Amino acid sequence: MSDTNYDSAGIKSSVLNFVIDSSFGDKEKIDETTFLFREGYFDSMGFVSLIAFLEEKFSIQTADTDLVEENFETVNAITDFVQKKLTIKSN
Amino acid sequence: MQLHKDILVFDNVASVCENIQNEIRSQIFSVLHRRGAVVGISGGVDSSVTLALAATALGPDKVLGLMLPERDSSSESALLAQKLADTFGVKTITEDITGALEGFGCYRRRDEAVSVVFPEYDPKTYKMKIGIRQSGLKTGLPPVFYLTIVKPDGSEESKILPVNQYAQIVAASNFKQRSRMSMLYYHAERLHYAVVGTPNKHEVEQGFFVKYGDGGADLMPIGNFYKTQVYQLAKHLGVPEEIIKRTPTTDTYSAEQTQEEFFYQLPFEQMDLMWYAFENNISATEVAPVMDMSADEVEKIFLSFHRKQQTTDYLRRGPIHF
């Protein structure tokens, strides 16, 4: 089920919870600045699950061109990416 | 250690072959106490070199080449595999595993997952494959798999594969390699032979094999050799030219697909040198000018190698005893 009204804090908290629930690493060390891929918290399967989660939770669509490190490297980067997508959608 | 483009060229390929042949003889006869070798042959260069090494090490009368086609196999594979066996005087048996795969529900389970992503997909008239985009290697992110369908008119459409459908397609397709492994061991046990596996160094170390499928064997003579070195062995051993010139494919999905497109994302000449540099801890700044890349690109490729090693560690582990 998707939710449509999200502020930055709400997005960050949802993404962080998802990341903590679905990664295999030391969950206590994960915060919004942790490098999720460089530090090995997420592999291919985790990345695709993350994309599916974002698309469903925030009703956004990710394009091939969105799949770059700047958009996904940390929870903060993902939050900015989702906010950008939501802004584009609402305009 | 200095990296240069010819670093993986053998100084004396004959001596390398001789060492491998001695090791095959010693392992099969003295360690495993088996009378010969069974090799699954697909018409690809890896299995061809493996068969050639086994035949020259043990004698062709002590080697059996097994051809294990199924519904999606290319017909060219069988022709090339037979030509190879004839070249080395090795007896072959063909076991079509399509019926076994139907029994496992391999095709049905795979097609069910494909239809979730593309409802119009009809396995009777469409073809399919999965792969990753080449550009993905330099993004710093893990690869994302795409599903591609080939329509009856030849046009293609691709979508990112959702995780559940990706896992189901891979799990269903892996019945192919695991069924082949079962058949290889049937013949090996019947003849008191060993199963000689065909993965090369990249397949072993990057995890491009199926656990208890093509990863299931008693010995893997080319498991420490880079792909360009496998080609050097092939030329020295006299593997037929058509096999050496053939583009390596997965021969797993109904649509044609190269190994580069499915998994490696780099041509083998580059992959070999990059992997060599990675495993010998050669710095990105030293590698960059040799490979005509930026140091940042090299770092990202090294990161993807590191990730592949980590995420496929599970495949290389045997059962855990405690």
Side-chain angles (χ1 to χ4, degrees):
Chain A
M1 184 71 75
S2 68
D3 294 304
T4 47
N5 296 314
Y6 270 98
D7 58 11
S8 174
I11 296 169
K12 193 173 289 183
S13 148
S14 295
V15 173
L16 188 59
N17 285 338
F18 175 82
V19 167
I20 288 171
D21 280 350
S22 50
S23 86
F24 294 115
D26 185 347
K27 297 176 193 303
E28 293 187 357
K29 288 187 182 163
I30 301 176
D31 64 24
E32 57 267 39
T33 61
T34 305
F35 287 98
L36 302 173
F37 300 99
R38 278 189 220 173
E39 293 179 21
Y41 286 100
F42 270 25
D43 59 9
S44 279
M45 298 287 263
F47 185 34
V48 178
S49 301
L50 172 67
I51 296 168
F53 165 76
L54 298 177
E55 290 189 341
E56 188 181 328
K57 182 85 181 168
F58 304 109
S59 298
I60 56 171
Q61 284 298 308
T62 44
D64 282 4
T65 48
D66 295 324
L67 303 181
V68 292
E69 199 173 12
E70 299 86 271
N71 290 337
F72 292 96
E73 60 186 354
T74 62
V75 169
N76 278 342
I78 299 167
T79 303
D80 290 346
F81 168 71
V82 171
Q83 270 195 310
K84 248 188 298 178
K85 283 280 178 186
L86 290 175
T87 307
I88 293 167
K89 210 171 89 171
S90 66
N91 288 337
Chain B
M1 194 171 302
Q2 182 108 39
L3 183 71
H4 58 86
K5 288 207 164 162
D6 291 331
I7 203 155
L8 296 173
V9 176
F10 293 129
D11 292 331
N12 185 344
V13 65
S15 141
V16 174
C17 278
E18 206 179 303
N19 288 341
I20 305 170
Q21 288 153 343
N22 289 339
E23 197 63 31
I24 290 174
R25 266 192 301 276
S26 154
Q27 293 293 336
I28 290 185
F29 295 145
S30 308
V31 177
L32 300 172
H33 301 292
R34 291 295 181 273
R35 294 195 193 106
V38 172
V39 185
I41 48 174
S42 65
V45 72
D46 293 331
S47 63
S48 298
V49 167
T50 305
L51 180 112
L53 286 166
T56 49
L58 307 172
D61 57 320
K62 291 190 171 60
V63 177
L64 175 66
L66 265 190
M67 297 195 270
L68 299 156
E70 48 88 23
R71 183 186 294 164
D72 295 327
S73 300
S74 142
S75 53
E76 193 193 12
S77 300
L79 292 173
L80 291 174
Q82 189 58 57
K83 182 160 188 184
L84 170 84
D86 293 344
T87 302
F88 290 94
V90 167
K91 189 182 162 198
T92 61
I93 292 178
T94 299
E95 297 272 12
D96 191 317
I97 59 168
T98 303
L101 294 173
E102 281 170 342
F104 277 126
C106 163
Y107 306 108
R108 174 179 56 77
R109 294 172 207 271
R110 179 198 65 190
D111 294 337
E112 180 184 270
V114 175
S115 297
V116 171
V117 184
F118 288 108
E120 71 271 34
Y121 172 75
D122 175 357
K124 290 192 185 73
T125 52
Y126 282 54
K127 292 184 173 181
M128 58 72 61
K129 60 183 175 181
I130 65 176
I132 40 189
R133 299 277 156 89
Q134 288 225 349
S135 55
L137 196 60
K138 293 172 185 169
T139 63
L141 294 170
V144 170
F145 281 89
Y146 289 79
L147 172 64
T148 301
I149 52 167
V150 183
K151 299 175 186 177
D153 65 5
S155 62
E156 295 189 359
E157 197 178 336
S158 297
K159 283 185 190 171
I160 291 180
L161 251 177
V163 73
N164 292 342
Q165 282 68 43
Y166 165 76
Q168 185 168 333
I169 290 171
V170 170
S173 301
N174 287 352
F175 277 124
K176 297 183 181 185
Q177 285 83 354
R178 293 197 175 104
S179 300
R180 290 189 174 113
M181 188 271 290
S182 294
M183 191 59 85
L184 287 165
Y185 271 97
Y186 164 74
H187 286 284
E189 288 177 351
R190 176 177 72 79
L191 297 164
H192 205 61
Y193 281 6
V195 172
V196 179
T198 64
N200 63 48
K201 184 180 180 75
H202 291 302
E203 291 173 327
V204 173
E205 293 185 8
Q206 298 191 38
F208 185 37
F209 66 88
V210 175
K211 191 169 187 173
Y212 305 125
D214 49 334
D218 296 312
L219 64 156
M220 295 181 180
I222 60 165
N224 276 325
F225 291 95
Y226 295 89
K227 191 79 175 186
T228 51
Q229 293 180 324
V230 173
Y231 281 105
Q232 292 171 60
L233 297 174
K235 282 183 188 149
H236 176 76
L237 290 160
V239 167
E241 201 58 28
E242 302 97 295
I243 293 174
I244 294 174
K245 285 188 176 150
R246 192 184 188 201
T247 303
T249 67
T250 59
D251 210 9
T252 294
Y253 299 105
S254 52
E256 284 225 348
Q257 176 193 52
T258 68
Q259 290 184 1
E260 187 180 324
E261 155 185 48
F262 178 65
F263 189 78
Y264 291 116
Q265 299 172 277
L266 279 176
F268 283 118
E269 297 76 16
Q270 286 184 36
M271 172 61 73
D272 280 6
L273 290 171
M274 291 296 293
W275 191 267
Y276 177 87
F278 170 69
E279 68 180 4
N280 286 287
N281 297 314
I282 300 175
S283 72
T285 47
E286 236 183 292
V287 175
V290 180
M291 302 304 297
D292 297 321
M293 291 179 187
S294 69
D296 184 53
E297 284 175 322
V298 174
E299 286 286 8
K300 282 183 173 157
I301 292 171
F302 281 176
L303 176 67
S304 85
F305 287 170
H306 176 66
R307 196 183 290 126
K308 267 184 184 168
Q309 263 185 337
Q310 273 189 326
T311 55
T312 61
D313 177 60
Y314 150 83
L315 297 176
R316 285 177 293 272
R317 284 183 187 271
I320 298 168
H321 304 269
F322 53 89

